[in-house]
Amino acid sequence: MSSGAWSRDALPAMLGDLRVLVECETPSSDRVLLDRGLAEILGWARARLGPPARLLQHPCGPHGDTVELLYTGDAPGFVLVLCHYDTVWPAGTLASWPFALEGGIVSGPGVFDMKNGLVQAVYAVKGLRALGVPHPSVKLLLNGDEELGSPASRPLIERASEGALATFVLEASLDGAVKTARKGVGKFDLTLHGVESHVGLDPEKGASAIHALAALILETAALAAPARGTTVNVGLVDGGTGRNVCAGRASCGIDIRVATHEEMARVDAALAALRPPDPRVRVELGGGWCRPPMTPNTASRALYATAEAIAAAHGWTLRQAHAGGASDGNFVSALGRPVLDGLGAVGAGAHARSEHLLVEHIPERTALLMDLIAAHA
């Protein structure tokens, strides 16, 4: 039996398990639900695959713990599979938006990003075992802070990928395409400290933080360079205490995305050089780069070529895409290690109420992962 046929036979069971995982709410900011969800996921994985050869659970402070599960193969080396179990959806979302399967479409909070990826990962190992296909060991890493930028799990991911034959990221696809490049993401906070005064009695004594911030927002927005893949968005603004008070403080939150390390350096230099028009106003720059760009390296290009050949052997057409969003694959790529992202669900609507996946593609994506793992035997 082929990997494709096995995955098609397993589809009903996969859909049942997907429902269980989606109905287990795991919002990134709720440690109690994350702990409960992780325990359920680990119990489910054990029920499907038996006990792992090794289980390491890393406490991550206020964030969801990171867990490494090692499933021993019968070939040398190991591959790393990255999955996050947290979602952007707050507790109680299921009450108004339950899991639904209708007309070949599955919808529900986190179904696309990325509970389906968890199901694919576990069933890929299950399928390789069932078919007796030689394969290297599989290290499955589950983290609960990905939607927050993986602040606690980043060093664990980087360490886990050391020595891996390949890293596969089970994030959702981009319209069916795997992701071979992603932008780097920076989250910056710009705070200005001015001089307060009464705008009627002492207007000349004040130095408005808001007026200065308005000027620097325009200067920051001008750093965008779409032709080079750099975007800038000021999405949050706050400041002042009253209409008749010259603002003593103002701040904004900035999202910056870049396609190259060179653009990171250019933006860093420009932000550091920001100066308000009024010298009495002081500038404070906070935040920084959450994820470096994921740019294709030689090893990752070879990994995509392997995936493309596997898909062609099945009669499928595989495409690659560059994504504006970032993932944990960015960390692995920045270290020069082979990584292939976007191997998860085919669908759309991540982080939106339109989130859904197409059932027909689940077997082929699972089979693709099975064959990619086996190709490293």
Side-chain angles (χ1 to χ4, degrees), residues 271-319:
L271 291 177
L274 288 175
R275 296 292 182 270
D278 189 326
R280 293 176 296 169
V281 177
R282 178 171 60 86
V283 177
E284 179 184 344
L285 181 65
W289 297 101
C290 306
R291 288 191 171 99
M294 187 174 93
T295 55
N297 53 48
T298 301
S300 294
R301 291 191 187 96
L303 194 54
Y304 172 72
T306 299
E308 192 175 34
I310 289 171
H314 281 279
W316 311 324
T317 299
L318 187 67
R319 297 176 293 109

Side-chain angles (χ1 to χ4, degrees), residues 224-290:
R228 285 176 278 180
T230 300
T231 61
V232 179
N233 181 67
V234 178
L236 297 170
V237 176
D238 179 66
T241 57
R243 294 175 187 268
N244 62 347
V245 179
C246 185
R249 184 184 179 281
S251 64
C252 67
I254 311 165
D255 180 294
I256 301 180
R257 300 186 183 233
V258 297
T260 66
H261 290 274
E262 290 76 14
E263 279 296 278
M264 284 179 69
R266 180 184 73 86
V267 169
D268 275 338
L271 291 177
L274 288 175
R275 296 292 182 270
D278 189 326
R280 293 176 296 169
V281 177
R282 178 171 60 86
V283 177
E284 179 184 344
L285 181 65
W289 297 101
C290 306

Side-chain angles (χ1 to χ4, degrees), residues 2 4 8 22-23 29 62 65 82 98 111 117 145 168 170 189 211 216 252 268 273 276 280 311 317-319 333 351:
S2 69
R8 286 190 293 274
V22 171
E23 291 181 345
S29 58
D65 286 353
L82 298 180
V111 67
D145 62 347
F168 302 117
L170 271 292
D189 299 300
H211 292 182
L216 294 192
C252 67
D268 275 338
R280 293 176 296 169
T317 299
L318 187 67
R319 297 176 293 109
S333 177
H351 298 194

Side-chain angles (χ1 to χ4, degrees), residues 23-192:
E23 291 181 345
C24 177
E25 292 185 304
T26 51
S28 303
S29 58
D30 192 321
R31 181 57 197 258
V32 173
L33 287 181
L34 286 169
D35 287 348
R36 188 182 305 164
L38 179 58
E40 184 160 339
I41 290 167
L42 294 178
W44 162 73
R46 179 181 290 267
R48 296 295 172 267
L49 299 176
R54 185 175 73 236
L55 187 154
L56 299 175
Q57 184 160 345
H58 306 279
C60 290
H63 307 294
D65 286 353
T66 298
V67 176
E68 295 177 54
L69 305 166
L70 182 66
Y71 298 102
T72 306
D74 45 16
F78 74 95
V79 297
L80 176 64
V81 178
L82 298 180
C83 296
H84 67 85
Y85 60 93
D86 63 319
T87 76
V88 299
W89 300 103
T93 301
L94 276 168
S96 59
W97 181 26
F99 178 94
L101 169 56
E102 184 177 353
I105 296 175
V106 180
S107 62
V111 67
F112 180 67
D113 183 15
M114 61 170 293
K115 296 291 179 69
N116 186 71
L118 285 164
V119 175
Q120 282 182 225
V122 167
Y123 272 80
V125 177
K126 184 177 176 68
L128 290 170
R129 289 177 171 181
L131 296 177
V133 177
H135 64 281
S137 297
V138 176
K139 184 188 292 184
L140 176 59
L141 186 144
L142 311 175
N143 60 326
D145 62 347
E146 194 277 341
E147 297 293 2
L148 302 175
S150 304
S153 60
R154 176 178 181 171
L156 302 170
I157 292 165
E158 292 173 337
R159 189 170 67 206
S161 70
E162 185 175 354
L165 299 170
T167 294
F168 302 117
V169 186
L170 271 292
E171 290 282 2
S173 69
L174 186 59
D175 295 326
V178 294
K179 300 168 182 176
T180 52
R182 286 181 176 271
K183 289 187 178 182
V185 179
K187 296 180 181 179
F188 296 90
D189 299 300
L190 189 60
T191 303
L192 274 66

Side-chain angles (χ1 to χ4, degrees), residues 357-368:
L357 62 81
L358 305 178
V359 172
E360 63 181 299
H361 294 285
I362 296 176
E364 70 181 47
R365 305 298 282 196
T366 305
L368 176 60

